[in-house]
């Protein structure tokens, strides 16, 4: 369904995010017929350039970063026609009048702040001053939303001076991932799982977001952040919320975000022996983290494993194990809900015992798998085996339907539609920082270094111990 015509202003329009994600996402939605030629895309940045040069930059970005097949490159010129460019000084006066003249007051206006949070205040103030911050205006802000509770509160305060919460879209691109949304469909669209979705039946939950890549060229940013700020405070906690939350009364922004917030508030503070942090080393072929960020003494973590507890009626006693890291064995992200053993086995000891595991695979090979126990086929007596009921989306839906839009495509269209369900509310972000801050502070004040782990491994052995000592084990990263 096409969205209403809109003016979409990308502030930081020549930057990395715009080129890699935002512009290709818009082009793909354009090809899909959802984002029509009546809309306009206005690139804005400090760089002096004209519309023609911006169209060239965009064409190059799309050629380099647009992965999806089914996108007709023959339509690129039509898309480029929708593009405009304004040179603008976020902290000064240059360009603001020109921008105000260009955007149409009666239309939906989206201002995508694809710049560091240090500029959010200046931008918000000027959008207001130059008359663009009317009711039809929405702003999109990227993570990191602050670097701790204090700075996040300050950002929320600054934005709230000029915008209502209903106009602020805080992006966490994990919420736009197809399987992440499917998690809600599976939980709340089926009768099968929800009655079992509690500590009485669930032994534990594992959430893994493993990356094969290292920090690449983002060392400057990353060395000041680390995995806790970069991945845990946002993506991992959002996944945990969706798994643990109570059924919202409705699939709407208020109800969903209220329930997520309750989960974050129910999280126990993390005890030091329930957390492991690591940092990757190089191998002959690839440099180690410290070399990459050119900081020999860096204590920034590139891996974190946490055992978390959601202290509420539903989850008391069921641990949530989270782990994320860079330069691990494979790129593999999944959530595994591991059910308890059946209370009594009617079979002989040597039949074996198996557990049901529901695995939600985020990437790659998006899909959902339920491990069930059956009899091993053949005349060998009653021996039990585990087989997967497997819904790999590409197989079930066919390759065309499983060619999912990138998270950014979905989320940007939601902004134009005015749907905040998949965006983080201000209080949610603050509550997440309130949980991660104490951990980060302990690390900052301690002399302990992160544990070195080998490139291509599953992370430090201590992370394995985090589960072994509870008689459990991580699923293999594959
Ligand atoms: C970003 C982080 O938010 O998410 C990156 O800043 C990380 O460090 C990325 O690599 C992972 O996203 P995805 O979609 O590739 O899993």
């Amino acid at each position: 369904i096409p969205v209403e015509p809109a003016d979409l202003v990308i502030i930081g329009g020549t930057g990395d995010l715009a080129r890699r994600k935002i512009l290709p996402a818009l082009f793909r939605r354009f090809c899909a017929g959802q984002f029509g030629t009546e809309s306009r895309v206005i690139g804005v940045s400090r760089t002096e350039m004209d519309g023609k040069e911006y169209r060239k930059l965009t064409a190059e970005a799309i050629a380099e970063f647009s992965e999806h097949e089914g996108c007709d490159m023959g339509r690129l010129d039509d898309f480029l026609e929708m593009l405009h460019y304004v040179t603008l000084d976020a902290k000064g006066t240059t360009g603001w009048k020109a921008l105000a003249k260009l955007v149409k007051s009666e239309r939906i206006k989206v201002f995508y702040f694809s710049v560091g949070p240090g500029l959010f205040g200046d931008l918000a103030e000027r959008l207001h001053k130059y008359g663009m911050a009317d009711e039809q205006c929405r702003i999109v802000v990227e993570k990191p939303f602050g670097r701790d509770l204090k700075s996040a509160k300050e950002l929320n305060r600054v934005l709230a001076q000029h915008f209502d919460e209903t106009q602020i879209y805080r992006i966490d691109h994990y919420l736009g991932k197809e399987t992440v949304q499917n998690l809600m469909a599976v939980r709340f669209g089926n009768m099968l799982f929800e009655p079992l979705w509690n500590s009485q039946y669930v032994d534990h939950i594992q959430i893994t977001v493993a990356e094969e890549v290292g920090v690449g060229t983002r060392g400057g940013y990353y060395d000041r952040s680390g995995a806790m700020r970069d991945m845990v405070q946002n993506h991992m906690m959002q996944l945990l919320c969706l798994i643990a939350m109570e059924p919202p009364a409705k699939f709407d922004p208020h109800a969903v975000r209220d329930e997520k917030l309750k989960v974050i508030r129910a999280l126990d503070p993390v005890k030091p022996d329930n957390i492991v942090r690591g940092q990757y080393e190089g191998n002959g072929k690839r440099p180690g983290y410290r070399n990459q960020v050119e900081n020999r003494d860096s204590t920034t973590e590139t891996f974190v494993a946490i055992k978390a507890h959601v202290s509420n009626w539903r989850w008391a006693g069921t641990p949530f194990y989270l782990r994320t890291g860079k330069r691990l064995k494979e790129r593999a992200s999944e959530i595994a809900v591991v059910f308890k053993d059946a209370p009594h086995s009617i079979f002989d000891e040597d039949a074996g015992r198996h557990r049901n595991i529901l695995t939600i695979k985020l990437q790659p090979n998006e899909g959902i798998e339920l491990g069930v126990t059956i009899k091993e086929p053949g005349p060998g007596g009653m021996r039990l085996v585990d087989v997967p009921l497997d819904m790999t989306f590409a197989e079930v839906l066919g390759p065309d339907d499983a060619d999912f839009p990138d998270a950014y495509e979905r989320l940007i269209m939601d902004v134009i539609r005015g749907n905040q369900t998949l965006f983080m509310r201000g209080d949610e972000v603050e509550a997440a920082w309130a949980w991660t801050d104490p951990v980060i502070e302990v690390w900052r004040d301690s002399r302990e270094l992160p544990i070195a782990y080998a490139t291509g491994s599953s992370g430090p052995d201590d992370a394995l111990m985090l589960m072994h000592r509870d008689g459990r084990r991580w699923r293999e990263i594959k």
Side-chain angles (χ1 to χ4, degrees), residues 13 21 30 56 133 135 187 227 232 257 309:
K21 293 288 183 187
F30 169 78
K56 182 162 172 276
E135 281 177 7
R187 272 197 70 189
V232 177
R257 298 189 298 180
H309 291 281

Side-chain angles (χ1 to χ4, degrees), residues 171-341:
I171 284 215
D172 183 312
H173 79 279
Y174 265 58
L175 293 179
K177 287 187 191 275
E178 193 68 18
T179 337
V180 175
Q181 294 172 60
N182 236 310
L183 175 59
M184 286 189 273
V186 166
R187 272 197 70 189
F188 305 126
N190 295 289
M191 192 53 205
L192 202 58
F193 301 110
E194 202 48 29
L196 306 179
W197 211 262
N198 55 56
S199 59
Q200 204 181 337
Y201 298 101
V202 177
D203 178 73
H204 72 276
I205 286 165
Q206 304 185 13
I207 305 179
T208 298
V209 176
E211 295 187 273
E212 206 263 326
V213 293
V215 284
T217 53
R218 294 165 72 229
Y221 149 76
Y222 196 89
D223 207 36
R224 279 179 280 112
S225 305
M228 197 70 181
R229 290 192 174 96
D230 186 52
M231 296 295 287
V232 177
Q233 187 271 346
N234 34 76
H235 307 324
M236 303 291 284
M237 289 185 73
Q238 289 294 321
L239 297 180
L240 187 153
C241 284
L242 297 180
I243 283 280
M245 73 184 185
E246 294 302 312
K250 264 184 164 181
F251 189 58
D252 81 10
H254 300 293
V256 170
R257 298 189 298 180
D258 283 350
E259 295 307 335
K260 287 198 296 170
L261 180 62
K262 286 185 210 162
V263 174
I264 304 178
R265 291 194 172 147
L267 279 166
D268 282 350
V270 190
K271 296 201 193 101
D273 57 348
N274 280 342
I275 186 155
V276 175
R277 63 174 172 151
Q279 190 187 66
Y280 63 80
E281 288 183 315
N283 58 12
K285 294 188 197 127
R286 300 166 82 187
Y289 175 76
R290 291 179 175 189
N291 281 342
Q292 268 184 312
V293 299
E294 293 173 13
N295 177 3
R296 279 192 313 148
D297 303 318
S298 173
T299 58
T300 302
E301 76 288 354
T302 60
F303 176 97
V304 181
I306 301 176
K307 178 182 175 186
H309 291 281
V310 180
S311 277
N312 63 16
W313 196 282
R314 186 187 283 261
W315 292 116
T318 297
F320 287 71
Y321 298 92
L322 320 177
R323 70 176 160 167
T324 182
K326 294 198 185 284
R327 280 282 186 87
L328 299 178
K329 229 171 169 176
E330 298 278 349
R331 176 175 192 244
S333 302
E334 62 165 44
I335 302 170
V337 181
V338 181
F339 290 91
K340 290 189 173 170
D341 287 341

Side-chain angles (χ1 to χ4, degrees), residues 35-109:
F35 185 59
T37 47
E38 281 171 61
S39 288
R40 295 183 307 168
V41 179
I42 303 166
V44 161
S45 92
R46 264 184 318 198
T47 315
E48 295 273 353
M49 66 165 76
D50 59 18
K52 197 169 156 213
E53 287 166 306
Y54 192 61
R55 285 191 277 277
K56 182 162 172 276
L57 173 146
T58 303
E60 285 166 4
I62 288 172
E64 191 173 349
F65 299 115
S66 192
E67 293 157 8
H68 281 244
E69 290 161 13
C71 219
D72 180 2
M73 289 307 269
R75 301 201 55 210
L76 183 59
D77 283 343
D78 293 340
F79 175 71
L80 295 179
E81 292 274 303
M82 297 161 66
L83 261 58
H84 300 258
Y85 183 79
V86 176
T87 307
L88 179 127
D89 177 3
K91 286 178 172 288
T93 52
T94 310
W96 283 98
K97 280 196 182 141
L99 181 63
K101 221 169 129 193
L102 194 59
V103 294
K104 295 198 174 138
S105 59
E106 75 284 2
R107 278 194 170 190
I108 295 170
K109 293 177 284 297

